[in-house]
Amino acid sequence: MKIHLTSVFVDDQEKALRFYTDVLGFVQKHDVPLGKDRWITVVSPEEPNGTELLLEPSGHPAVQPYKTALVHDGIPAASFAVDDVRAEYERLRGLGVFFTQEPLEMGSVTTAVLDDTCGNLIQIVHSA
């Protein structure tokens, strides 16, 4: 069994698409109109047939309290693997990304947490 698709709830799909592609570096895979919303997925450029991340609209009434609670408690909605957390932290800060947690080494794992500007905290991680 493999993970085929996962999602993050986003406040604004167009803004999220720009952030996840232009800033984080993912590649748009699908963009299908669905009424007032769209089915937008992005993938890693390193794995175009890998796990897709759905930029899911936050319209359901349960979503906003869920997202607010996660952000309030500092819990990331998703975690993305990178080769070098400190280098990615510096690259993203240079693009104006706000981090709620600077790179933190915990044994063989290094993490940092950023604000995706769409209502989520996102963790970047590297494990040696």
Side-chain angles (χ1 to χ4, degrees):
M1 187 176 301
K2 295 180 181 178
I3 298 173
H4 170 67
L5 176 84
T6 188
S7 64
V8 290
F9 291 107
V10 297
D11 299 336
D12 178 327
Q13 287 186 294
E14 186 59 38
K15 180 179 176 184
L17 179 60
R18 287 192 310 271
F19 183 82
Y20 279 79
T21 57
D22 297 346
V23 177
L24 295 185
F26 289 106
V27 176
Q28 179 182 318
K29 182 150 186 176
H30 296 288
D31 187 352
V32 179
L34 295 171
K36 66 179 179 73
D37 297 316
R38 296 153 54 193
W39 178 269
I40 302 173
T41 65
V42 296
V43 294
S44 168
E46 299 165 8
E47 295 183 14
N49 295 316
T51 305
E52 296 178 46
L53 178 67
L54 173 64
L55 304 177
E56 189 157 0
S58 294
H60 190 280
V63 172
Q64 198 54 50
Y66 165 75
K67 287 176 60 177
T68 300
L70 289 180
V71 170
H72 180 266
D73 289 346
I75 299 171
S79 182
F80 303 140
V82 297
D83 292 333
D84 183 332
V85 170
R86 185 155 302 276
E88 194 65 13
Y89 168 82
E90 295 298 337
R91 182 186 79 80
L92 292 171
R93 279 197 53 194
L95 294 172
V97 173
F98 175 72
F99 278 79
T100 60
Q101 177 199 304
E102 295 183 3
L104 177 64
E105 294 181 19
M106 298 170 284
S108 62
V109 176
T110 304
T111 65
V113 178
L114 61 94
D115 179 340
D116 78 348
T117 72
C118 302
N120 302 294
L121 298 178
I122 301 295
Q123 182 180 63
I124 57 173
V125 61
H126 175 79
S127 57

